[in-house]
Amino acid sequence: MASIITLADEARYAFDNLLEGVLGGPSTLRLGVTGLSRAGKTVFITALVHNLIHGGRLPLFDAYASGRLAGAKLQPQPDDAVPRFDYESHVRNLVDARIWPRSTRRISELRVTLEYESASTWKRTFGPGRLDLDIVDYPGEWLLDLALLNKSYGEWSAEAVAMSREPHRQQLAAEWHHRLQGVDPDAPADELKAQELAGAFTSYLRAARADEYALSMLPPGRFLMPGDLEGSPALTFSPLDIAPDREPVQDSLAAMMARRYESYRTHVVKPFFRNHFARLDRQIVLVDMLAALNAGPAALRDLEQALADVLACFRPGRASWLTSILSRRIDKILFAATKADHVHRSDHDNLGALLARLTEKAAKRAEFAGAEVSVMPMAAVRATREVTVTRGGRKLPAIAGVPLEGEEVAGEVYDGASEIALFPGDLPKDPESIFEAARQFQSKPRDLAEEAHDDTLALRYLRFRPPRVERSETGLKLSLPHIRLDQALQFLVGDRLQ
């Protein structure tokens, strides 16, 4: 990551951090929450805040379990230029409507103030402690964009075209490939041609992200969530089939594409890094392992590459009072395999082992730089309960819940209202066996749809509705149930409440 940041950038980041330290004080912790599409970012933040404010069951969150956490309350959003995370609306969706909130489409932020009593007798003499927890929510696809800062237009084009020709992507990119065939990069710049190619390229990215295929390597991220940039020249470009080191002819189509690519890096990617990413203290990366397993070996391979690129973007390091002022570093990174409630607890360790295998190499690099890294299976909102089912005279550990409307098993389509009991299958105890299956598929290219529905791994997971949240004796809604949310809180925040 160091190669994409100039000395001038570093000086500016240091000045920003110094100013923030003076104005915000040492009692502020900025927690970044990210994950690739549909990993559960919005649900995680909503559940975390709801449990803190409403006194949820958090036995592994030390400050809460020991009675030192006096309270938690929302505060006004500290950054006037950043949208506020719509916590109240998301709670209504989860608790009242029992629907999952919409996916993260933009950056947002929320401040929660934690008031606590220090565990240290010496610190308690100075009165109660206070920590402003600033939670920053941003799409994981934007994180993948940071890698573009280290690639020229030619390098990115060659890489994107080569990736689109891989067996599991070629079918999805067919229309874009067709339009690329007749393109002369040296032809005069043509706005209509640029729009045509950008539209076809975006359609390919959108198809690759669909649930059926669940591919993760989809930069540029803003092509799928353009916001107020939709239709702008900064989003109207496409890779061309050119050599990585080729210099575009002046005023040509390739020159126009390269210029717009540079505008995207300058006006979209770099401000995100400077204004948000470079200011984080802690980071949680949510990973939907089950969606990748559902979609097949191609999706799993793709997720592995995406996570490697995500991890390469972090600025890990050991935090100190000086580094926190001059150069913000992420000193704790948590990788969480979400939707742990979709498998029985007997499979949780196997789910965590799969994620640890995916992130192993990059996690070691972060630890070498001084950051503390942890991996855990988690469900920010638990949508199922555990039951036992009998099949062929055998009792099997299973889960029970209400599948989302339209979910299907063995030809039966569910209505979104009826509860079912389901044995989801067993994850292998050795994660390497799944990656070995993925490598075998890579050496035997097949039709993408055939691969996505192959039963070799025999793993299929349903999506469930949020649970029905019970009311207390006083009529108040209880906190949202979870799996290991308290353990995540302890890792990410616990040391700051000592």
Side-chain angles (χ1 to χ4, degrees), residues 13 113 154 259 289 429 447:
Y13 302 151
T113 295
R259 185 180 67 252
M289 290 287 303
K429 295 186 181 299
D447 179 81

Side-chain angles (χ1 to χ4, degrees), residues 283-306:
Q283 178 70 57
I284 180 169
V285 181
L286 305 173
V287 183
D288 188 355
M289 290 287 303
L290 300 183
L293 291 171
N294 258 0
L300 192 65
R301 294 195 306 270
D302 209 67
L303 176 61
E304 184 177 21
Q305 181 59 52

